[in-house]
Amino acid sequence: SRYRIQIMDMTLQGGRNGVHFEGEPGNGGQYSQFLYSHLVFRDFSNAGFFVNQVFGLDNGLFYHVDFINSGAGFKQFVDPSDTYEGGGPNSGYVDKVMFYGCQFVGNEIGADLSARRADNLNSFTNCRFEDNTGGAIYATSNNDLQLVNSDLINNGGAPSVYGVGDIVSCYFRADALGETLISNARVEGSRFEQGSSTTAQIYAHSGDVFWSANNSWANYSSTLMANSQRRRDRGGQRHFRPLPQQRSGPAARLESAGGDRVPRSDRTS
């Protein structure tokens, strides 16, 4: 096991992976009690942060980390021979990991949590997902994955968010890339808008759930929605600081980014 890895205040740019945890056959390694803070991962062909057939990631925090213009912002890859009930040395699980104040912008997919041995109790809180062409979050075999107080704008995928168990106090806007926004989930106090789209749906259904006949939420496909709103138009402008500037030259690979981090949007609606 590897304990208490801490990396802070850096920008990593270009190449295949930003951080790559790679397990050896039969000896994947477990990483726990880690902290990644005020980092920028950008322009990686595979992933900004790649968890590749290790034993697992357990009890850690990504704090104000930006994942920009990469194949995946965060990517989990497990041993294909492991079973869902497994937990072998290369099962690659992710448990009790929080992404707080992170941004996933302009990636093919924001966060890919493709587990086999189940992931447990992970969360995205106060995060921003925007312009991710293949989806914001894709999660399989995840228990109690939470998406809290986050903004999700103009993400592709059908749905843009797949495999999340609880969605609380979030803002969704479909815009040009949005087709369907969520899969089955428990939704509380969230807002859904079509933005520039005229066809996007909250989730795939034969009816248009943005304007239902009785103007009320329905419980389709075991999806429970409460205290939430839906609109066809934009209900309020979102305000973001600019993303960190792209660097060039040798200093681009590793440099201080303490002053460049971009917080999530201010809520004005």
Side-chain angles (χ1 to χ4, degrees), residues 171 173 191 193 231-238 268-269:
Y171 172 83
R173 194 172 73 224
R191 182 170 184 148
E193 297 178 4
R231 293 174 62 99
R232 287 189 183 277
D233 58 329
R234 294 189 181 190
Q237 183 64 44
R238 323 298 290 183
T268 60
S269 57

Side-chain angles (χ1 to χ4, degrees), residues 122-125 127 129 137 145-152 161 164-170 172 190:
N122 300 307
S123 70
F124 296 89
T125 301
C127 290
F129 295 83
I137 299 172
L145 177 60
Q146 295 184 331
L147 178 61
V148 180
N149 201 41
S150 296
D151 293 348
L152 301 98
V161 172
V164 173
D166 296 285
I167 298 172
V168 181
S169 299
C170 290
F172 288 78
S190 296

Side-chain angles (χ1 to χ4, degrees), residues 97-117:
V97 172
M98 173 179 280
F99 296 83
Y100 184 91
C102 297
Q103 294 192 109
F104 302 80
V105 178
N107 306 289
E108 182 176 342
I109 186 165
D112 183 353
L113 299 174
S114 298
R116 291 180 67 83
R117 180 278 199 194

Side-chain angles (χ1 to χ4, degrees), residues 4-267:
R4 299 186 178 90
I5 295 175
Q6 298 185 20
I7 302 178
M8 306 177 190
D9 298 309
M10 294 182 183
T11 292
L12 288 86
Q13 178 182 335
R16 181 164 174 77
N17 300 295
V19 170
H20 185 186
F21 286 167
E22 184 174 16
E24 299 176 359
N27 182 23
Q30 183 185 49
Y31 301 84
S32 62
Q33 302 176 40
F34 57 84
L35 171 64
Y36 293 90
S37 174
H38 292 87
L39 302 174
V40 177
F41 295 99
R42 69 180 313 146
D43 303 330
F44 291 101
S45 61
N46 185 54
F49 198 104
F50 187 29
V51 181
N52 180 12
Q53 300 185 78
V54 300
F55 177 47
L57 244 60
D58 208 322
N59 285 283
L61 174 63
F62 290 86
Y63 183 74
H64 294 300
V65 178
D66 296 336
F67 303 88
I68 305 169
N69 297 340
S70 297
F74 180 94
K75 183 174 183 177
Q76 174 185 8
F77 181 72
V78 305
D79 181 358
S81 67
D82 205 348
T83 66
Y84 289 101
E85 296 81 19
N90 300 98
S91 56
Y93 74 84
V94 178
D95 278 5
K96 301 177 288 297
V97 172
M98 173 179 280
F99 296 83
Y100 184 91
C102 297
Q103 294 192 109
F104 302 80
V105 178
N107 306 289
E108 182 176 342
I109 186 165
D112 183 353
L113 299 174
S114 298
R116 291 180 67 83
R117 180 278 199 194
D119 290 351
N120 296 290
L121 303 172
N122 300 307
S123 70
F124 296 89
T125 301
N126 284 11
C127 290
R128 170 190 177 191
F129 295 83
E130 187 167 356
D131 300 336
N132 299 290
T133 58
I137 299 172
Y138 180 82
T140 57
S141 192
N142 267 253
N143 295 325
D144 299 309
L145 177 60
Q146 295 184 331
L147 178 61
V148 180
N149 201 41
S150 296
D151 293 348
L152 301 98
I153 299 171
N154 193 38
N155 295 291
S160 298
V161 172
Y162 179 84
V164 173
D166 296 285
I167 298 172
V168 181
S169 299
C170 290
Y171 172 83
F172 288 78
R173 194 172 73 224
D175 284 345
L177 291 177
E179 298 180 42
T180 56
L181 300 181
I182 62 174
S183 60
N184 294 352
R186 296 174 293 272
V187 181
E188 163 67 27
S190 296
R191 182 170 184 148
F192 298 85
E193 297 178 4
Q194 285 184 316
S196 62
S197 173
T198 58
T199 59
Q201 295 184 304
I202 294 174
Y203 53 90
H205 189 263
S206 57
D208 178 357
V209 296
F210 273 92
W211 285 140
S212 59
N214 59 4
N215 199 29
S216 63
W217 290 114
N219 186 352
Y220 299 140
S221 304
S222 302
T223 297
L224 174 63
M225 299 186 179
N227 300 320
S228 298
Q229 297 177 309
R230 64 192 181 282
R231 293 174 62 99
R232 287 189 183 277
D233 58 329
R234 294 189 181 190
Q237 183 64 44
R238 323 298 290 183
H239 298 289
F240 298 97
R241 277 199 266 163
L243 288 170
Q245 299 265 330
Q246 183 168 355
R247 311 299 188 190
S248 60
R253 295 225 170 237
L254 191 62
E255 63 184 8
S256 172
D260 282 341
R261 187 195 59 76
V262 187
R264 66 182 301 277
S265 66
D266 299 322
R267 295 182 177 270

